[in-house]
Amino acid sequence: MDRSDEDRAIHEVVERLTKQFPQVPTGEVEQVVSQSRPEFDDVPIRDFVPLFVERGAKQRLRERV
């Protein structure tokens, strides 16, 4: 997965989480996703980064709701 594919997948994560947590403003969902992503900066195989980012962001959003 190259960087543009990963960016596209992360954008889809934001869309899914926005639908899953409609009570949370989109900007806040984007911020939570952005905060989750750097945890995986050093991961050499990028294919599963969007999945891990989504899981981490989802957990953080659950804690806020």
Side-chain angles (χ1 to χ4, degrees):
M1 174 177 287
D2 67 16
R3 188 65 179 194
S4 65
D5 290 334
E6 184 177 319
D7 290 342
R8 199 169 15 263
I10 294 294
H11 178 73
E12 291 170 4
V13 166
V14 171
E15 289 177 349
R16 277 194 299 276
L17 292 177
T18 299
K19 290 176 184 173
Q20 195 169 5
F21 295 91
Q23 68 277 25
V24 179
T26 303
E28 194 171 327
V29 172
E30 290 171 341
Q31 182 181 18
V32 170
V33 169
S34 293
Q35 291 169 349
S36 297
R37 196 172 185 181
E39 296 175 32
F40 306 100
D41 281 348
D42 296 332
V43 176
I45 299 174
R46 309 297 302 172
D47 292 346
F48 297 106
V49 168
L51 175 66
F52 297 142
V53 168
E54 184 169 2
R55 286 181 180 173
K58 189 182 295 186
Q59 181 61 36
R60 288 185 175 112
L61 290 168
R62 283 184 184 139
E63 291 170 1
R64 291 181 181 208
V65 179

